[in-house]
Amino acid sequence: MVEKITRVHFSKTICLAILGFLLAFPIVAQEKPELKIGGALRFNYNLSSWKDGQKKRGGDFGYDMFRINAAAAYKGIFLNAEYRLYSEDFGGGFLKQGWVGYNFNELDQIHIGLTQVPFGIQQYNSHNWFFNLTYYVGLEDDHDMGVKYLHTGEKFEYQLAFFKNAEELRFGNNTETSPNRYSYDITGRNKEVNQFNGKFIYKFGKESASRLGVSLQYGGLYNLDTEEMGDHNAFAAHYEITKGNWNGKAQFITASHNPENAGGEPTDVVMMAAYGAPYEVAADFNMYSLAISRNVPVEWGPVSNLQFYNDFAFMQKKASGFADSYMNVTGVLVSAGSVYTYIDYAAGYNHSWLGGNFVDDFSKGNPDAKWEARFNINIGYYF
């Protein structure tokens, strides 16, 4: 009797195992790799107050950027990549982002590669085509090489990351970081290394969805001349609210850079670069930004929505004698099917991209500077 029971039990186990395998096999067999390809083609018109020749000819209209996006997934592992091609004067072609990720569950995942640095309001601390002043000092939509852990809960979100360095395009022993990149990083005789980031978000409210958070950043600055390690750090407190068609973003940042430069080299400025062009940035500063937008749904042929916005930022430089920088962009985003058009009036004071001398507007600046402005229309087809 015992032997018979044992045989029956064994037979049921085998049958259940075979049945389980057969039931599972079709699911595995149906799992196929996913691949999505997208991109955009953009053109740009601009008319700048500080360019006399351009004003006489009524502005310039030309090529802005072509990009390819790829998203892939298979067995819980996924890929996200974006390659952009600008004109040679703006750095040519480079990878904006490119990382491999893995979902541990519905709430937790990990990214490895060239991934967005978890700092401040994301994805953008702005609504306009120019971004906000935070972008031009490497603290908005920055991407570096490293590993990032993300947790997205109902009430809380947090991200922890370690970045070995900024995106590296030159692998020589003492080569400077290439300025041909999408996001602003330290360049010149210093290199960003071994950076740690932490970001925490508390979410509350239903009709008025709010995101209150803090961000921390600390990393090394390796000097190619002295071969010594300096450091840099930043802290941000940020709040974003969405209520109906309205959105608001408010943020405070304090940042400090302490390079170990060679004798005679200044330590109150650092070099940063993107789009093929380096400039100076004040080593220590506070930054305040406020952005607001409102969506207005319309039915004008292909036009379905108008998003009106105003984005403002103020850079308070801590070094004695340095003149502060300001930026304000007022505009509207016109959505028409796959075509998105930004119409912006961007004004800047001691701003490298808005009428300054470019090299030192974000560092010592000019106490006698005046506000300059650029009227800009960016037309993009996104697919």
Side-chain angles (χ1 to χ4, degrees):
M1 178 64 71
V2 174
E3 183 179 355
K4 183 177 180 180
I5 293 175
T6 303
R7 287 177 179 175
V8 172
H9 178 73
F10 178 77
S11 300
K12 285 184 177 180
T13 302
I14 295 296
C15 289
L16 289 173
I18 294 174
L19 179 61
F21 175 79
L22 292 175
L23 290 174
F25 183 78
I27 297 175
V28 175
Q30 289 175 359
E31 185 179 358
K32 297 180 180 179
E34 298 177 3
L35 176 63
K36 296 180 180 179
I37 301 296
L41 175 63
R42 300 196 318 217
F43 300 98
N44 206 64
Y45 167 82
N46 71 81
L47 177 63
S48 304
S49 64
W50 65 94
K51 297 180 180 179
D52 292 334
Q54 189 188 62
K55 289 191 292 184
K56 290 179 181 179
R57 60 180 179 266
D60 294 319
F61 182 51
Y63 169 76
D64 174 31
M65 179 270 290
F66 177 73
R67 82 183 196 202
I68 289 292
N69 295 80
Y74 184 55
K75 292 185 179 296
I77 300 176
F78 50 96
L79 164 78
N80 185 295
E82 180 175 320
Y83 187 85
R84 295 189 169 198
L85 184 62
Y86 291 86
S87 65
E88 290 185 7
D89 286 347
F90 286 89
F94 42 76
L95 193 67
K96 179 202 173 188
Q97 63 196 46
W99 46 265
V100 175
Y102 177 74
N103 285 317
F104 294 103
N105 50 55
E106 294 182 354
L107 303 180
D108 302 278
Q109 60 182 234
I110 190 170
H111 298 172
I112 300 175
L114 181 58
T115 184
Q116 188 180 46
V117 176
F119 189 89
I121 295 175
Q122 293 179 310
Q123 181 174 351
Y124 305 111
N125 183 41
S126 52
H127 304 95
N128 69 86
W129 179 76
F130 289 88
F131 301 115
N132 215 325
L133 199 55
T134 42
Y135 173 77
Y136 299 91
V137 295
L139 295 174
E140 179 180 352
D141 201 27
D142 184 24
H143 295 73
D144 288 332
M145 294 297 304
V147 56
K148 178 172 64 177
Y149 180 86
L150 305 88
H151 172 83
T152 306
E154 182 178 353
K155 289 292 185 180
F156 299 98
E157 294 181 10
Y158 61 84
Q159 300 181 35
L160 302 173
F162 170 75
F163 296 98
K164 187 65 191 73
N165 44 253
E167 54 269 47
E168 186 60 71
L169 303 177
R170 302 166 175 170
F171 291 88
N173 185 46
N174 289 303
T175 52
E176 296 183 0
T177 299
S178 170
N180 298 336
R181 60 193 54 246
Y182 163 80
S183 52
Y184 277 91
D185 291 304
I186 298 292
T187 54
R189 303 308 293 169
N190 287 286
K191 299 173 78 77
E192 297 177 11
V193 297
N194 303 332
Q195 178 176 302
F196 294 89
N197 282 84
K199 178 179 173 181
F200 177 84
I201 298 288
Y202 171 58
K203 300 181 288 188
F204 59 95
K206 293 183 179 180
E207 294 184 0
S208 301
S210 296
R211 297 171 58 86
L212 178 64
V214 294
S215 299
L216 295 169
Q217 177 171 293
Y218 179 82
L221 290 178
Y222 179 79
N223 187 271
L224 297 174
D225 298 319
T226 64
E227 298 184 349
E228 294 183 3
M229 190 74 72
D231 64 13
H232 67 101
N233 61 81
F235 167 81
H238 36 89
Y239 175 69
E240 181 175 10
I241 182 172
T242 302
K243 183 175 183 179
N245 291 327
W246 290 89
N247 175 262
K249 308 172 191 280
Q251 183 166 257
F252 164 75
I253 294 174
T254 184
S256 178
H257 300 79
N258 307 290
E260 292 289 341
N261 292 342
E265 293 295 319
T267 57
D268 55 0
V269 301
V270 291
M271 295 298 297
M272 286 191 172
Y275 300 102
Y279 54 51
E280 294 179 355
V281 173
D284 304 321
F285 60 85
N286 294 329
M287 188 170 289
Y288 310 82
S289 62
L290 180 64
I292 188 170
S293 71
R294 187 178 191 277
N295 287 311
V296 179
V298 297
E299 295 181 1
W300 299 346
V303 179
S304 59
N305 191 76
L306 303 175
Q307 184 185 74
F308 296 91
Y309 48 77
N310 191 86
D311 300 338
F312 171 80
F314 160 49
M315 181 181 183
Q316 181 184 37
K317 303 166 188 175
K318 296 182 180 180
S320 177
F322 280 25
D324 297 333
S325 295
Y326 298 81
M327 179 179 182
N328 191 83
V329 183
T330 302
V332 58
L333 169 61
V334 182
S335 301
S338 296
V339 177
Y340 295 86
T341 303
Y342 289 90
I343 304 174
D344 292 325
Y345 182 81
Y349 179 86
N350 276 322
H351 193 300
S352 293
W353 286 98
L354 294 172
N357 63 10
F358 195 85
V359 178
D360 60 5
D361 296 284
F362 290 133
S363 58
K364 66 180 181 180
N366 178 7
D368 299 320
K370 63 178 183 178
W371 282 87
E372 299 285 2
R374 173 173 161 180
F375 177 67
N376 196 89
I377 302 175
N378 187 270
I379 304 170
Y381 186 95
Y382 295 78
F383 59 92

